[in-house]
Amino acid sequence: MKNLSFLFFLLLGLPLPAAPSLADELLASFQAKTTKGENVDALIASVANLSATDLRRLSTQIEKIWTSQRDNYLSQVSATAKTLVGKKGDVRLQIRKHRDAFKGVYAKGDDAMKPLLTTVSMPAVDALRKLLEPNPAQLIEAGGEKLQAQRKQVLALAKFRDAAHNAVLFVAHLDSTGPLEAEEKSAAEGISGFERNDLKIITQNRKLAQDRKVPAEEAKGIEECNELRMLVGLNALVLDPKLCDAARDHSTDMAEKGFFAHDSPVPGKKSPWDRAKNFGTSASGENIFMGSSEAHAANMAWFYSPGHHKNMFSPGQRRIGLGCSGNHWTEMFGG
């Protein structure tokens, strides 16, 4: 058959069709395998063996299909998110039930409260998170097998795109997956059940933390505390950089001077109110923790400790600062 085709073009004086390049064959094989849901890791790895000419050709071809496939996938994610928004009215009673259970524990005395923080309060928070804060995984699951298969294909194409692009430039710097996952996260956040004003505070806190160079782990801990408050129906707290400085200073004193207490032996820093005043702000409460450099560990320790829990979830709080030094943490609140 190949010989007949050759004679046909030769007799008619036509130029012979170009043989498919290795780039063409690789891309065709990739598309066939991803359509069938087959593993393409070996194909992606083989990109490194292509010539410079084939690499450039492959990279150009991938770009032609990447934008359309990515945008089509993200539009389907957005459409799925909109369908979930329409179902929110069905869960209002559940949200109220879990928030009432949480508030019921909060209203108790410390002794009665302590065991219920594990058996009632945290399960309520977990249930509220599923109802109010769907994550990308839940969103993709809600889209069914079709969206899940589409995501698998787009992620494979993202890896293929990165491999081709980075091989052309001889440096691994393109990351197609990161921005894609960020878009998924944004779609999930867009259908959260949180109050708009609270979400605005979260956004402002992120910018302020960046502008004032608040250490990342401290900013992360503040956002986690706010997420917990928002889940149970409380207001988000505004990040106060001066409270962060005061909190970090107390954590440093505890770490360096070998004490663990709200009352400091350092002159001029005896109480939380003194320490806040030293940094040009005011405080209405303080939590301290020792034992980990991770903010999540501190937040969880405070969550399960009645007195600290009361500070974290006080309706009267308006500002927050968090400061770490080694394994010591101080959390300060302001009204």
Side-chain angles (χ1 to χ4, degrees):
M1 184 63 70
K2 290 182 179 178
N3 290 335
L4 289 175
S5 298
F6 176 82
L7 290 172
F8 175 77
F9 282 94
L10 186 61
L11 290 171
L12 293 179
L14 297 174
L16 293 174
S21 69
L22 288 177
D24 296 329
E25 293 177 351
L26 188 58
L27 182 58
S29 180
F30 174 86
Q31 291 177 310
K33 283 182 174 291
T34 53
T35 299
K36 296 177 183 178
E38 298 177 0
N39 187 285
V40 291
D41 288 346
L43 281 177
I44 294 174
S46 70
V47 166
N49 299 323
L50 294 178
S51 68
T53 300
D54 280 326
L55 276 173
R56 286 193 293 270
R57 180 178 178 84
L58 179 63
S59 184
T60 300
Q61 291 173 328
I62 290 176
E63 287 303 310
K64 291 179 181 178
I65 61 176
W66 164 249
T67 302
S68 62
Q69 286 200 18
R70 178 202 61 197
D71 291 351
N72 182 52
Y73 165 68
L74 291 176
S75 69
Q76 294 303 312
V77 171
S78 179
T80 301
K82 290 178 181 178
T83 65
L84 293 181
V85 171
K87 298 177 182 178
K88 280 188 177 180
D90 301 336
V91 300
R92 287 177 183 170
L93 290 178
Q94 297 180 55
I95 292 172
R96 185 181 304 170
K97 179 188 75 173
H98 294 304
R99 284 179 171 174
D100 286 347
F102 184 93
K103 291 174 183 176
V105 174
Y106 183 86
K108 295 182 179 297
D110 287 2
D111 291 341
M113 183 183 188
K114 189 170 180 60
L116 297 178
L117 291 173
T118 299
T119 60
V120 177
S121 300
M122 185 53 78
V125 167
D126 290 337
L128 287 163
R129 184 175 282 111
K130 291 179 181 178
L131 294 170
L132 292 166
E133 195 179 20
N135 58 43
Q138 291 171 304
L139 191 55
I140 304 307
E141 183 180 356
E145 293 182 1
K146 183 177 179 180
L147 186 60
Q148 292 164 28
Q150 191 176 5
R151 183 177 192 269
K152 187 176 180 180
Q153 291 179 17
V154 171
L155 286 177
L157 182 59
K159 290 174 64 178
F160 199 33
R161 177 179 184 246
D162 291 351
H165 182 90
N166 295 334
V168 169
L169 298 179
F170 301 105
V171 58
H173 77 277
L174 184 65
D175 174 20
S176 303
T177 302
L180 190 71
E181 292 177 339
E183 290 288 346
E184 293 173 337
K185 183 178 180 181
S186 178
E189 289 177 345
I191 60 171
S192 75
F194 296 141
E195 295 294 329
R196 182 171 298 180
N197 186 60
D198 291 328
L199 293 174
K200 183 178 179 181
I201 289 174
I202 296 298
T203 300
Q204 291 173 340
N205 282 353
R206 290 172 181 171
K207 185 177 186 306
L208 186 58
Q210 184 176 13
D211 292 345
R212 296 293 293 271
K213 295 181 172 54
V214 174
E217 194 65 17
E218 295 177 6
K220 180 180 176 182
I222 288 172
E223 186 155 324
E224 181 181 42
C225 180
N226 268 333
E227 177 201 24
L228 291 168
R229 287 178 61 90
M230 291 156 59
L231 285 170
V232 300
L234 295 170
N235 60 295
L237 304 176
V238 175
L239 187 156
D240 183 343
K242 294 179 180 179
L243 274 182
C244 287
D245 293 339
R248 194 179 310 114
D249 185 66
H250 186 55
S251 293
T252 300
D253 283 345
M254 289 192 292
E256 293 181 351
K257 302 183 185 309
F259 72 96
F260 182 70
H262 293 289
D263 288 339
S264 172
V266 181
K269 300 181 182 181
K270 179 175 176 57
S271 72
W273 336 124
D274 295 331
R275 296 189 288 272
K277 185 177 180 180
N278 289 342
F279 284 88
T281 186
S282 61
S284 58
E286 181 183 80
N287 288 337
I288 57 175
F289 167 77
M290 177 178 66
S292 174
S293 60
E294 295 183 356
H296 176 70
N299 276 328
M300 289 301 96
W302 293 326
F303 184 98
Y304 290 113
S305 172
H308 300 95
H309 185 99
K310 297 260 184 172
N311 274 341
M312 286 179 74
F313 296 99
S314 170
Q317 312 291 23
R318 291 291 178 270
R319 294 174 291 114
I320 185 173
L322 191 62
C324 175
S325 178
N327 290 334
H328 289 72
W329 287 88
T330 303
E331 181 177 51
M332 301 185 76
F333 299 98

